[in-house]
Amino acid sequence: MKSVRCPLGMALLLSLCLHVRMVHAASWWNDEDYVHGISVVPVPDLAIGLLAGTVLFVDTREPEEYAEKHIPGAINIRLVDVDGVDAQPLQKYQYVVPYCLKDFRGFEVARALREYKGLSNVVMMAPSGMKGWESQGLPLSSSNAEGMRKLAEWHKNSALTVTESQP
Amino acid sequence: MKNAFSICVGLYGLLFFAWCIGAGNPFFYFFYEALPGQSLYLLAKCFGFLAICSLLVQIAIGIASATRILRESKVYHAVNALLSVGFATLHVLSFLVGASIRSDKPAWEVVIPQFTDYYHSMLGLGIVAFVLLLMMFALGALLRRRLQQSSLVRLLHYASPLVMIFATVHSFSIGSETRTVGYIVVFGCLILAILTILVFGLLSRTRPIQFSR
């Protein structure tokens, strides 16, 4: 039984080490520092860039999930598909933003695009993922045309809100 | 017991090594900054991979036991079951904690089955597989300790392939790396091992009949 406890103990110890490391990483995150070369941009700025055509969102989830709903205008690239991606067309954007629900898969794709495809314009959104996007009142849609229309409405309304609140 | 455990540790050590190669450099997260909870997500992927492999190994042991080509098969079966439950529990826990840290609140939605959309359905299937695995483990423990030898308990324990089916669907539908070439090679090797054991087992069973002729 003693031999059974040893690897389980080691696994728990490893988890603890990773947790300590992760808490340390979280403190850097709040300092607006970059995450291994991947900058963080606020969601509203990215939404405005999306309307202007300077931002490309990359949905890193499964095609079935993408078909249900996604950020308007996003393209679907999973982690397993990154090898076959032609990075040339992605370089013209100011920001390329990989995302998923909570940005676990999104971060892995961001890393892969940066390290293996040499893209320097890869950023992550803050708050993270589709949850973060929705938390800002931004629309998700299964259709790009409908999604962009809703996004334009959001932009119009948010601009009105800003104007009204100004002294 | 000690031999079985050493063999299992060796096998999962090799599988962990294979995972490390497939994941690139997993130690990246020790040396560079990452999003909060990302390292636990990586850990969840590792334990998930080991859990699904351990279920395949359990099938191999089951066949070897049924065809009587493995001595002390019950010991191997028990040790591997313990490891399967350990890997699956660590997989669930690390993902739960990682998701909670990422969203800054307890992410109970990842452990409560919700069949609302594709992702949550596949996630829910994984949770169902995990709960079934715990039940199978408990039933197996009852059978092993001879506390309960009723045919119903034995019959329920034979529902274990359901765990394998649900876990496989869960891992291949939303597991981000399960379909990469490296992982398919590992799964292929394990399935090949299962088939080899099955063939050898069947041959060893039919051999006496051939000799009698």
Side-chain angles (χ1 to χ4, degrees), chain B residues 22 53 58 83 100 141 172-173 201:
Chain B
C53 288
Q58 196 72 327
L83 287 170
S100 300
F172 275 82
S173 56

Side-chain angles (χ1 to χ4, degrees), chain B residues 105-183:
Chain B
K105 60 180 182 190
W108 297 119
E109 70 272 10
V110 302
V111 287
I112 299 168
Q114 297 167 18
F115 297 91
T116 48
D117 53 30
Y118 179 82
Y119 179 77
H120 288 100
S121 299
M122 295 303 137
L123 201 65
L125 211 56
I127 293 298
V128 171
F130 177 62
V131 172
L132 277 175
L133 177 67
L134 293 179
M135 283 169 63
M136 293 303 138
F137 183 73
L139 290 171
L142 282 178
L143 287 171
R144 185 169 165 74
R145 288 175 183 273
R146 299 179 191 281
L147 294 174
Q148 180 60 269
Q149 284 290 343
S150 78
S151 56
L152 181 66
V153 171
R154 196 170 286 278
L155 197 68
L156 284 172
H157 191 64
Y158 285 147
S160 301
L162 274 179
V163 177
M164 187 66 220
I165 293 166
F166 290 162
T168 305
V169 173
H170 163 75
S171 67
F172 275 82
S173 56
I174 52 172
S176 49
E177 285 158 354
T178 36
R179 283 149 293 171
T180 54
V181 178
Y183 289 90

Side-chain angles (χ1 to χ4, degrees), chain A residues 5 11 13 29 33 35 38 41 52 67 70 86 88 96-97 99 105 110 119 124 128 135 138-139 143 146 152 157 167:
Chain A
R5 283 186 202 137
L13 190 66
W29 174 254
D33 202 329
V35 182
I38 300 166
V41 179
H70 55 262
D86 178 14
Q88 192 71 27
V96 172
V97 194
Y99 74 91
R105 290 173 277 183
L119 283 175
M124 300 297 296
S128 295
S135 73
L138 286 156
S143 143
E146 189 199 343
N157 292 336

Side-chain angles (χ1 to χ4, degrees), chain B residues 68-91:
Chain B
R68 291 169 191 171
I69 60 168
L70 179 69
R71 285 178 190 175
E72 298 179 344
S73 59
K74 282 186 179 176
V75 176
Y76 282 93
H77 187 71
V79 169
N80 193 64
L82 189 68
L83 287 170
S84 298
V85 169
F87 291 142
T89 306
L90 287 169
H91 169 64

Side-chain angles (χ1 to χ4, degrees), chain A residues 3 29 68 102 104 108, chain B residues 5 29 35 38 102 118 179:
Chain A
S3 57
W29 174 254
E68 283 174 355
K102 287 189 168 75
F104 283 122
E108 298 298 325
Chain B
F5 194 77
Y29 296 90
L35 291 172
Q38 194 72 24
R102 178 64 57 91
Y118 179 82
R179 283 149 293 171

Side-chain angles (χ1 to χ4, degrees), chain A residues 33-162:
Chain A
D33 202 329
Y34 64 66
V35 182
H36 190 52
I38 300 166
S39 301
V40 180
V41 179
V43 165
D45 294 355
L46 293 171
I48 291 164
L50 177 62
L51 282 168
T54 57
V55 171
L56 175 71
F57 281 89
V58 176
D59 194 312
T60 62
R61 302 171 303 149
E62 298 300 318
E64 291 86 351
E65 296 174 79
Y66 175 80
E68 283 174 355
K69 59 180 180 179
H70 55 262
I71 289 177
I75 57 168
N76 188 210
I77 303 173
R78 296 173 304 163
L79 183 61
V80 290
D81 302 327
V82 169
D83 275 348
V85 168
D86 178 14
Q88 192 71 27
L90 305 183
Q91 283 173 348
K92 69 177 181 184
Y93 293 97
Q94 184 188 1
Y95 296 131
V96 172
V97 194
Y99 74 91
C100 61
L101 270 181
K102 287 189 168 75
D103 273 356
F104 283 122
R105 290 173 277 183
F107 180 76
E108 298 298 325
V109 170
R111 237 187 89 192
L113 285 173
R114 190 175 175 85
E115 291 185 4
Y116 306 127
K117 293 291 169 181
L119 283 175
S120 55
N121 54 350
V122 180
V123 298
M124 300 297 296
M125 63 169 117
S128 295
M130 287 169 68
K131 302 267 183 193
W133 178 268
E134 280 185 307
S135 73
Q136 306 294 306
L138 286 156
L140 294 168
S141 177
S142 57
S143 143
N144 281 340
E146 189 199 343
M148 291 305 270
R149 187 181 54 75
K150 284 180 180 173
L151 188 63
E153 274 175 25
W154 166 85
H155 183 50
K156 198 176 158 187
N157 292 336
S158 63
L160 281 173
T161 312
V162 171

